[in-house]
Structure formats: structure tokens, C-alpha cells
Amino acid sequence: MISATQAAPGAALAAPVITDSPPAIDYWLLAPMLVVFAAGVLAVLAEAFVPRPRRRPVQLLLALGGVLAAFVLTLAQAFTLPEGEAGTTLALGAVAVDRPALFLQGTILVLAFISLLLIAERHGGEDAFAAQAAAVPGSEEEREHVLAGSEHTEVYPLVLFAVLGMLLFPAANDFLTLFVALEVMSLPLYLLCGIARRRRLFSQEAAVKYFLLGAFSSAFFLFGIALVYGYAGSVNFARVDEAVQAGGAEIFQGGNGEPLLLLGIGLVAVGLLFKVGAVPFHNWKPDVYQGAPTPITALMASCTLVAAFGALLRVFFTAFGGSVESWRPMLWVVAILTMVVAAIVAVTQRDIKRLLAYSSVVHAGFVLTAVVAADSAGLAGAMFYLAAYGFTTIGAFAVVTLVRTHENGAEAGDLEQWAGLGRTSPVLAGALSLFLLAFAGIPLTSGFIGKFAVFEAALAAGAAPLVVVGVLSSAVTAFFYVRIIVLMYFSEPAEKGGPRVVPAGLLTGSVISIGVAATFLLGVYPTPVLDHLIPAPGGGTDAEVAATADGFTR
Amino acid sequence: MAVSMTDSLLAADAQPAVTAPAEGAVLGNAWLLIALPLIGAAVLLIGGKRTDAWGHWLATALPLASFAWAVLALVQLLGMDAHHRSVGVDVYTWFSSGDLEVGASLLIDPLSISFVLLITGVGSLIHIYSVGYMAHDERRRRFFAYLNLFVAAMLVLVLADNFVLLFLGWEGVGLASYLLIGFWQHKPSAAVAAKKAFLVNRVGDLGLLIAIMLMFSTFGTVAFSGVLGGLDGAGQGVLTAIGLLLLLGACGKSAQLPLQSWLLDAMEGPTPVSALIHAATMVTAGVYLIVRAGPIFEAAPAAQLAVAIVGAATLLAGAVIGCAKDDIKKALAGSTMSQIGYMTLAAGLGPAGYAVAIAHLITHGFFKAGLFLGAGSVMHGMNDEVDMRRYGALRRYMPITFATFGLGYLAIIGFPLLSGWWTKEGIIEAAFGAGGLTGQLLGTAALVGAALTAFYMTRVMIMTFFGEKRWHDGVHPHESPASMTGPMVVLAVGSVFLGAALVFGYRFAHFLEPAVGAPPEHHEFSLAAMFTAPSALAALALMVGGVALAWFMYGRRPVPVTAPAGNFITAAARNELYGNEINEGLLMRPGQVVTEALVAIDTHVVNGAVNGVADSVRDGSARMRRAQTGFARTYALTMLFGAAIVVATLAVRI
């Protein structure tokens, strides 16, 4: 499967030159992304040519089928990856196919599949998206479309393109590909955020904010790339790494290029930290998570976070791996700010989606402690954490879609309206309680194992103060998670009859069930996943061991 | 390989066998032993009313399957070399990280497999009995679910290879016991009894828990092999403390002085529960714990002596209580206390006593379960009457119950050649064998206990089955159905022959040796010595004396329907030797004072501090929230500010 020339990209690709003949590309290794891309293109065509009544089933088939096929291909690649080999790069070193990439891509595909189930769910014939996004909110035109039962099946191709970007993001092995992936991932999400069926102005506001701030951060990111290119003379991660080890590209020999590199690292970091939502680049998260249609929030909170952290890990471990001592203090500061500020601000939140958004920020802080460790244990801990958190958070947002302000009303954001849920819908409240306990990191849930893994990695890397801050902010977050549980089980309902709950359909029901099962299984029996993530203490020469130390190909 | 073989052969006499990983399908899948009854409990509890029709059959079949699996495991174990009969089964690793591995593994050795066979064997019989006994109870499904839960938890307790897993099982059986004592919750007395058992057991459990913590801090591990193999590294003080705390745990679970008071009240539970949990299995867990942790007690002679003294005191106290109770189940409960006292006494004698303690535990499991099932059968026929003064002359109406109960009776009083005689003789002999004044005192206590046993059991026998009818009007005693008498017959057979099978040729003791160590003085088994030893003759004489006295007091005179006033000893015995009053005065009242003081401290000091922190977090939160203005321009400014921080923290390096 993996050709010899590509397995050793070092010499052959030292200076990529434009030639007349196209580079040889191993399409098998690109197949998962290509399948998702093809499904997206076909979905656009379906939008154009399939008659309206039949569009939804066709779109669903394409979206779910595409994601599933891509997952199967990813699994096949993971199993055919030779033992003891990190992996390979392809397309002139632009894309890496290695264990971390495959694990993260597989995780993204599974989580995207579950999110798609949630996106496809309809309650009373209505899905979560505007009947006609182009109509002015509150206008006569909008009412006509609602009455006519219009719906935007464009959602599915948009999600597929976003997923394509997410798949490429953690696998991108040079900065330009990384940037393209970032935009491919983000642009559909901006759109998706703005087309909620209810509270449309709110949703549009969120989309515009997300877009503006996203563009702002992209500018930082792109400028950072330019500086790094100036320093290293290449955008390829492996070349950048070599340059960092050597103290800069040839023009800097004898001079001091470090400020250029540090500024470049800093600005690239801004772009990536914005995507993961670390403090102080987190402001968009509560507003966007609250305004976006909840199924899209679920997709962002799980898949986007996995993809963004995947990219962050690869960039900092491979491209900037040589200057770890430079960026570690910076990540210390960001991680501490993230864990402390988000945990404290979350305490006074009254809206469940905002609360979950802040919770997602705190969790990003926990994962950052593992990035600080900058070793294989940190990578494994971070990846486990992301997978575990993804399942749990989709489940939690799925529960959010079911609790309403009144019959056929909008989702009940205000926590007051959740009081007494434990009595009226014990199963739903029980599931949400499990998710919240997992967020809080209570043993026998996946959250505990995840926290244990990242904190242990940070501790082993000498970041004890960071772990202390992490444990303390866990305690603060546990306070507001438990408060919700108390509210659901021990508070009198705000209105007579308790919270209004729409019955979970087959799709939402399975999303919540999968969330519960994964949260519980990864908490009780995490060993198979953890064993897969932690590279076996290898045989072979020192060089081989070093090459596969953290599982990233270089 | 050959060298290591010889080494282990030489060393095995004194040391526990080296544990090897399990091989083969039977031992490798030993977790099934626990999983089967656990599945039963889960199916019955989750399945709800749908399982009403067949649930009890499933719940009966699963422990039977466990028993069959255990027999297969025993066969495999017997097929191994004696010194290799210790098999570790890794069931599950929760997570491992560096040196720390958190998970569960089981230990199958002669000691644990003996318990497994007792629990699943007697347990299955009692499940069968319950099918008849609980036939008319509308909550029968729940009863069987709890019984299965109990069997699973008890198996966890005895199969654990470390103290933490043991503790999990320990708490599990406590929970099942609580649920089953209070099973008839409509009776206030049952609810109170359940609560009392729960609370008293907490005291013991706390002791065990602290002991485990002490072990972890001293040895860095809680595995049996690690703790018991690393005793050299610990000081005498720590070992004594661990030993005494383990003893406290054992006292709670096994109803030994001073934590005995819950057992008599626990008789509020359905009779099969009394038979299984409060006679045959759970209450013997303390003895298991002491024997399992034997090396600790051998290294801490003071704690070991305390074990023997507690055992001796309880065997007398239980017997005295048994002499005065008119409630048939409470009389038997006093007897259980007393018999477990014998086992504890033996367990406190070190390697000389371990094998006899476990042997008596197993025969007791049979004859006492048989006696309880017999009592249940009598109650079944007497409209749930428990007062023996309202019984009488039942032998003609319930012949099978009479015969099986009678055989159990002969076994427990130590009638020669029946099960109880073989194993009790062993304990008395071992007690005298301890030597010195201690040995004389312990042995004498055991002998006096034998006389008392003969007295109170004869009293129970006469008041129930002999004399004239003292029934209430409208009572029509009848023999119980076959599902009840069947298990009674099987247990009666065990009461007759099991002792001989175990003790003859010290077969069982030799079987246990790899797990519990060999007695220091080796002597050959001799049947003649069992009859002619001075202690044996004395025991025989005292037994005959006890029976004769009971016959004189209850057989020759009519038994009054209301209990006579009696002297102060009788009054004390009827009041369970004032155990409740002592608890109340020593523990409850001072406990209330401490609680009130703690509540005051909590309200004023702790809450103040906690609320202060919480308030300041909330204030900070409210202030920081204002940064979230909702304006994209503010957010962008924050990001710019953040970028500056990021670059600044990187620039520190330059």
C-alpha cells in the first residue's frame, strides 16, 4: 500500500519543485477524504436535480453513507498500517497519514455520523433549520414557507464539506494545506450557524460574529504562517522542524532569526487557539453555541474541537517540536487562563447552551495541559480526552434539543425551566446526569479516565502547578454540573406540570443512547482504546524509536 | 525450571503457594462464577414484572450453574500439584498507568474454592427451598433478585485477590443483607432490624476500611500476595493495629462481641435469608477474613490473642442467649453466634486452628442451614408462629421436618460421628493445644460451650417436637411441599456425613495447607484418639449432661405457655445480655453528643469557609461576565489583547 519512496520523504522532497508531470499520489490513503468530498459534490448535484420531496432521503443516504464509508476506509488504513512504523506523508508531503491522524479522523467521522443523526431529526415534521433562510425573520414570506413545509436540505452537503475540512485539518502536514483545511472546515460552519428555525435573528447574529472573529483569527494565522515561512524557508512541517533545529534557514546562519520564529509561532497559535476556544480567544463560543441550531452546536462542540486540537497537536509537536521550551510557557499561561476564567464565568450562567459552551472552554483547557506535556503520553491523553468528550457532549446537546419552553415551543435555554425534569422525564434526566458527571470527571465515567490521562501526562512532564489548577477548576466546574442535577431532581418545577419535553424520536434516542453507552464504556473499560493510543515501547534502533516516539510521522 | 521446582517444593510447607496465572477454560473464565448470579439479579431487577412468571427459576438455575462451574474448577485444582493450587485470574483492568494498575483479579486456591462450593451449593439448595417458601409472596421476584445479588457479592468477597475487591464484596453482602432483612418492609420491626444491621455493620466496615488504608500506606499495595508477603517490612505496632482493625471488621460481619447485637434482630428477614445469609455464609465472612489474613495475626500475637478471646467470649454469650430465647429463630441465631465464636476462637489459634475453623465453618453451614430451613418449615405449617411455647408434639405432624431437624440437632450438639462432632472436637483439641494457661482457659470455654449447646438445642428440640400441643386455635400443622423438604434432606445428609468426609485422615486440612499453612506440630490422624483424649471424653460427658438437664427441665414437666419470670441470669439472657443497652449507653449517647458538636462546627466554621469561597467565586464570575458584552468589537479587542499576551510570553525567551 505504502510505496517506498513515499515512506521516506526526507531526501526526495527536500525541495519540492514544480514539474511538468503531476506528483504520484497514493489515492488509497486519501480515500476517506475523497469519499466525503465526493459525497458532498453529489449532494450538491442532488440539490439541483432531485425533486424536492425526494431530496431528504437522498441527502441523508449520501451524508450518512459517505461518512460511514469514509470511516470504514479509515479503519482499513489503521489496520494495514505496518507495526512499528509511524506512517507516511503523501502529495509532496502535504498530508500525513499516521496513527494520530487516523485515530482523530476516525473519531471525527464517528462523531459526525452521530451529529448527522441529530441534524436529521424532525420533531412534529420540523427540523432544527429555517424553512427558508433567505426570508426575513418574522416576514410573511417566512410564514408561507413554514406553512408549506419547506426545508433546507442544503444542510447535508454543507456538513459534508465541513467534515472534509475537519478530516484534513489534523492530517495537514504543511501550513498552506492547514490553512485551506481551516477555511474548508469553517466556511460551511458559519453558514450552518445562521439558519436556526427558531430565534432566527439570534442565530444570524451568532453566524456573523463567528464569521467576523473567524476571519480576524485567520488573518493572525496567515500572518504567522508568513513569518514562519520567512524563518524556515518552507511551509512543510518537516522542513520547518529542520530549520528550527538548525537555528533558521540559510539566510539566518550567523544572524538571529529567533524573533521571527517566535512571532510566527505566536500568531499561528492564536489562529489555532481560537479554533479550540481557549481563553482569551473564547468569546465567540458562548454566543455561537447558543445561537446556532443545537445539532450544529453538537457538531461543532465535538468534531470541530477534535479537528482543531488535532491540528494544534501536530503543529506544535512536529513543526515547532524543536522549540518546545519557547512555547511551553505560553501554553502554560493560556491553559491556566482557560481553566480558571471559563470555570469561574460558567458558575453564574443561566442558559444551558451557554453553560455547555463554557464547559467546552474549560475542557479545552484540560486538553491543553496534555499539549504542554509535549510527549507521547500527552498526545495519547489528549486524543482519548477528545474522543470521550465528543461522545458525551453530543449526548448532552441531544438532550437540550428535547426540552422546550412550551408545547411546540423553542428549546428551553433557561435552566429554571429544567427544574423538576427528573420527575417528569426520569430517563432523560438520568442520561443528562450521566453526561454532567462525566464532564465533572466522576470515576466510572469516561470523563474521569480522560482527566486522569491528561493530568498524569502533565504531571510526568513536570507541570504539577498546572495540574493543581486543573484539579481546582474541576472542583469549580463540578459545582455547576451538580447544581443542574440538583435542579432536575430536587427543585419544584417553575410551572405546573414540569418541563415540557418533546418525545425523543428514533434518531435523537439513538444519539443519546450512543452517548450514554460510550460515556459508560470508556469509563469502565477504557483499556482497549488507551492501549491503542499509547505506542508500545518499541524494539528496533534508537532512531526508529525516536521517529515513532509520539506516533506522528515526520 | 527444575531448580525452581525443587525450591518451591521445599519452601511450600511453610509458605503460601506461588500464584500462577490461570490456564484452561474453566479456571480462566472463573469470573463466570460471579457473573452468573449477577446476571440473574440484573435480569430480575431490570426485567420487572415481565419476569414474574419464570424469574425465580432462572434465579435458582444460575447459582446451580455456578456450583457446577465451581465443581469443575475444584476438579482441575485437585489435578494440580498441591503447591501450585493457587491460580490468579485477571478479570479486568480498569486502567493502568506506570506502576499503578487498577483492576480486578480473582484468586482461586483451596480456601476460596471451599467457600465458593459452600456458597453456591448451600445457596442453590436455599434457592430451591425459597421457591416453595415464598410461593405466595407477591414480591417473590424481588426476593430472588436480592438472593442472587447476595450470592454474587459473597463470591466476590471470597474470590478477591486483594483487600479492596474483598471490601467491595463485603459491602455488597452487607447491602443484600440489609435489603433482605427488611424485605417485609410492611413490618416496622423488619425495617428497624434492617437499619440496625446496617448501622452496626458500618462500625465493623469502618475498621476494615481503615485497616486497608493502613495496609496501603504501609505496604504500598492491597493485594493479598503483596501484603502477606511483605510483612517483614512493617513494625509490630502497625501490624497489631491492622490486626485489631481487621478483627473489628470481622466482629461486625460475623456478629461477634461487641458488635453482635444486630444478628438476633436480623431474624426478622424471611427464614431462607436467615439460613443462607445469617447462618451459613455471610456471617462466616469474618472468619474467612481472619484466616485469609492469617500471616498478619501470626506476626502480631497481641491481635491474635484478641481474636481467640473474642471468639471464646462470643461462644459463651451466644450460647447463654440461645438458652433463654423462646423465639425459635432467635434461639438458633444465638446458636449461630456461639458456633461462629468457636470458629473465631480456632482462627485465633494460628495455623493450628485455621483448618479446623474452616472445617467447622463448612459443616456448620450445612447443619445450621438445615436447622433454619427446618424452623422455616415449622413456621410454614404453624401460620408463621415463632414462639416455641406455642409449638409442641409436632413430630407426628411433620415427620420429614422432624427427621432432618433432628439430624441437624445431633450434629450441632456433637453427637459422636456426626458432622459437628468431628469438627468441634478439632477446635476443642486445638484450643487445649495452645498450651499454658491461655490454652486451658480457651479449652475450658469451648467445653462449657459444648454443654450449653447441648442444653439449648435439646430445649429447642423438646419444645418444638415433643411434649403436648400448645398451639393457638385454628392452627393445622402440615408437612411442607417437596421443594422445601428436598433441600432439607440434602442438608441433613451433609449434617451426618460431611464431617467425617472432611476430617477423616485430615484430608481437608491437607487440602487447605497450601493456602493457610500447615500446623506447627504434625501428628497423624487417629480415630481412637478422638474418642479417648481427655478433652474428647469431657466434651462427651458435658454434652450428655446438657441434654439430660434440658430433658429434666423441659421434657419431664409441661412447658408453660407464658414464660416464667426466672432469675436474673435468665432475664439477662432474654435481654441478650443487655447488649442493646450497652450499645446505647456506650455508643449512641456519646455519639449523639459528638454529632451535635460536629453539626455546630460544620454550620459555623466549615460552612462559613466554604460559603466564603463560593461567594467570592460567584462575585468574580459576575464581574468577569461583564467582559462578555455581546459586541463583536469587544471580542476582537480581547483577541488582540490575547495575541499580545501570547507573543509576550513567547518573547520572554529572547
Side-chain angles (χ1 to χ4, degrees), chain A residues 134-464:
Chain A
V136 176
S139 66
E140 190 58 36
E141 190 193 0
E142 185 192 28
R143 196 165 310 127
E144 279 169 20
H145 277 288
V146 170
L147 289 175
S150 309
E151 58 182 358
H152 273 298
T153 40
E154 289 93 339
V155 167
Y156 300 102
L158 285 172
V159 169
L160 283 172
F161 288 128
V163 170
L164 169 65
M166 293 170 192
L167 292 180
L168 186 56
F169 206 36
N173 200 38
D174 71 38
F175 280 106
L176 285 183
T177 314
L178 189 69
F179 183 70
V180 171
L182 174 75
E183 295 303 328
V184 170
M185 168 175 93
S186 302
L187 288 170
L189 287 177
Y190 299 146
L191 269 177
L192 288 166
C193 284
I195 54 170
R197 178 174 283 269
R198 316 232 180 214
R199 297 185 184 154
R200 289 188 54 207
L201 282 174
F202 211 43
S203 165
Q204 291 176 355
E205 184 194 326
V208 172
K209 271 185 201 165
Y210 190 21
F211 172 67
L212 282 176
L213 296 172
F216 193 48
S217 82
S218 289
F220 280 106
F221 186 58
L222 209 49
F223 190 37
I225 292 175
L227 294 175
V228 171
Y229 178 72
Y231 174 79
S234 170
V235 290
N236 184 282
F237 290 172
R239 300 295 84 67
V240 172
D241 185 38
E242 281 166 20
V244 169
Q245 308 277 9
E250 272 172 39
I251 53 165
F252 290 109
Q253 297 307 327
N256 182 11
E258 208 179 1
L260 206 56
L261 173 69
L262 293 181
L263 204 57
I265 293 178
L267 297 185
V268 166
V270 170
L272 293 171
L273 290 171
F274 173 83
K275 274 292 147 195
V276 304
V279 177
F281 314 103
H282 69 292
N283 296 77
W284 61 275
K285 243 188 189 176
D287 291 15
V288 173
Y289 276 24
Q290 189 184 12
T294 307
I296 298 301
T297 313
L299 179 75
M300 288 195 291
S302 54
C303 300
T304 312
L305 194 75
V306 177
F309 260 113
L312 184 80
L313 286 160
R314 184 180 296 278
V315 168
F316 277 88
F317 280 39
T318 61
F320 302 145
S323 60
V324 55
E325 295 311 322
S326 311
W327 54 258
R328 194 176 258 157
M330 181 270 287
L331 280 187
W332 267 69
V333 172
V334 174
I336 288 176
L337 272 177
T338 306
M339 290 188 287
V340 172
V341 173
I344 290 181
V345 177
V347 167
T348 45
Q349 296 304 315
R350 284 190 293 267
D351 184 282
I352 181 90
K353 281 168 83 179
R354 284 186 88 79
L355 186 81
L356 291 176
Y358 278 109
S359 150
S360 150
V361 177
V362 187
H363 286 291
F366 294 147
V367 181
L368 278 178
T369 61
V371 182
V372 166
D375 56 11
S376 59
L379 179 71
M383 291 199 294
F384 182 87
Y385 200 111
L386 291 167
Y389 173 73
F391 285 106
T392 310
T393 199
I394 294 182
F397 279 111
V399 175
V400 171
T401 62
L402 297 177
V403 181
R404 302 299 172 96
T405 50
H406 49 91
E407 298 291 337
N408 299 321
E411 287 161 9
D414 195 337
L415 276 171
E416 302 245 308
Q417 290 167 317
W418 288 61
L421 186 71
R423 278 179 245 170
T424 50
S425 312
V427 177
L428 204 59
L432 183 60
S433 303
L434 177 70
F435 298 142
L436 293 173
L437 291 176
F439 287 152
I442 303 298
L444 296 183
T445 64
S446 59
F448 171 76
I449 305 287
K451 278 213 177 73
F452 187 86
V454 295
F455 287 159
E456 204 217 6
L459 210 55

Side-chain angles (χ1 to χ4, degrees), chain B residues 36 55-67 124 127 148:
Chain B
L36 289 170
H56 51 286
W57 292 115
L58 177 77
T60 309
L62 289 172
L64 261 177
S66 267
F67 177 69
S124 301
H127 275 76
N148 268 7

Side-chain angles (χ1 to χ4, degrees), chain B residues 531-557:
Chain B
F531 279 107
T532 54
S535 65
L537 291 172
L540 200 60
L542 284 165
M543 185 265 283
V544 172
V547 172
L549 184 64
W551 174 252
F552 178 72
M553 285 178 65
Y554 299 95
R556 292 190 47 201
R557 304 188 277 210

Side-chain angles (χ1 to χ4, degrees), chain A residues 205 209 213 216-217 220 259 262-263 265-266 270 274 280-281 283 286-287 325-327 330 333 341 344-345 347-350 354 358 443-444 448-449 452 456 523-527, chain B residues 91-98 100 614 617-622 624-625 627-643 645-647 649-651 653-654:
Chain A
E205 184 194 326
K209 271 185 201 165
L213 296 172
F216 193 48
S217 82
F220 280 106
L262 293 181
L263 204 57
I265 293 178
V270 170
F274 173 83
F281 314 103
N283 296 77
D287 291 15
E325 295 311 322
S326 311
W327 54 258
M330 181 270 287
V333 172
V341 173
I344 290 181
V345 177
V347 167
T348 45
Q349 296 304 315
R350 284 190 293 267
R354 284 186 88 79
Y358 278 109
L444 296 183
F448 171 76
I449 305 287
F452 187 86
E456 204 217 6
V524 175
Y525 196 50
T527 321
Chain B
V91 175
Y92 151 80
T93 307
W94 185 23
F95 63 92
S96 62
S97 128
L100 177 67
V617 167
R618 195 171 299 126
D619 289 348
S621 178
M624 278 197 244
R625 247 181 103 176
Q628 192 79 12
T629 55
F631 292 116
R633 57 170 189 259
T634 323
Y635 298 174
L637 195 66
T638 318
M639 282 175 63
L640 190 65
F641 170 67
I645 296 182
V646 165
V647 172
T649 45
L650 281 162
R653 293 272 301 165
I654 301 172

Side-chain angles (χ1 to χ4, degrees), chain B residues 284-585:
Chain B
T284 60
V287 180
Y288 172 78
L289 179 69
I290 292 171
V291 172
R292 181 56 91 187
I296 295 181
F297 289 96
E298 281 146 49
Q304 193 170 42
L305 184 63
V307 172
I309 291 172
V310 164
T314 311
L315 89 84
L316 292 175
V320 169
I321 293 172
C323 291
K325 286 287 178 187
D326 290 333
D327 177 329
I328 184 169
K329 282 177 72 182
K330 292 202 171 175
L332 289 176
S335 153
T336 303
M337 258 175 78
S338 165
Q339 296 297 315
I340 297 173
Y342 272 107
M343 300 167 208
T344 310
L345 165 62
L349 298 171
Y354 293 151
V356 287
I358 301 298
H360 192 56
L361 192 156
I362 288 176
T363 54
H364 173 256
F366 275 80
F367 58 69
K368 184 55 69 62
L371 287 170
F372 264 111
L373 295 190
S377 174
V378 169
M379 287 160 58
H380 197 70
M382 297 289 288
N383 291 356
D384 287 332
E385 178 62 66
V386 289
D387 187 353
M388 291 188 291
R389 294 185 184 277
R390 289 293 178 182
Y391 291 168
L394 288 174
R395 66 182 185 281
R396 263 171 304 210
Y397 301 89
M398 311 176 95
I400 302 176
T401 306
F402 170 65
T404 57
F405 195 95
L407 288 172
Y409 156 76
L410 291 175
I412 194 172
I413 65 169
F415 191 84
L417 297 177
L418 267 67
S419 283
W421 176 78
W422 293 95
T423 54
K424 199 191 282 182
E425 283 306 309
I427 292 179
I428 295 171
E429 189 193 322
F432 278 112
L437 183 62
T438 322
Q440 292 298 324
L441 286 173
L442 294 176
T444 309
L447 281 179
V448 174
L452 288 170
T453 307
F455 175 79
Y456 68 72
M457 281 312 298
T458 310
R459 174 174 175 270
V460 168
M461 197 69 195
I462 291 172
M463 285 174 83
T464 306
F465 292 102
F466 293 91
E468 72 274 24
K469 301 173 188 175
R470 301 181 298 277
W471 313 338
H472 279 297
D473 296 336
V475 171
H476 304 289
H478 54 84
E479 189 53 275
S480 298
S483 68
M484 288 168 67
T485 51
M488 285 155 59
V489 170
V490 177
L491 289 171
V493 171
S495 309
V496 175
F497 298 110
L498 191 63
L502 292 178
V503 176
F504 206 84
Y506 292 144
R507 254 181 299 191
F508 186 62
H510 289 311
F511 174 64
L512 283 180
E513 256 170 41
V516 303
E521 298 160 40
H522 188 75
H523 55 262
E524 291 300 320
F525 174 78
S526 149
L527 188 58
M530 285 196 70
F531 279 107
T532 54
S535 65
L537 291 172
L540 200 60
L542 284 165
M543 185 265 283
V544 172
V547 172
L549 184 64
W551 174 252
F552 178 72
M553 285 178 65
Y554 299 95
R556 292 190 47 201
R557 304 188 277 210
V559 178
V561 172
T562 46
N567 57 14
F568 74 98
I569 299 175
T570 319
R574 277 189 195 136
N575 283 312
E576 296 158 26
L577 303 178
Y578 303 110
N580 288 322
E581 285 73 11
I582 294 169
N583 281 352
E584 211 163 280

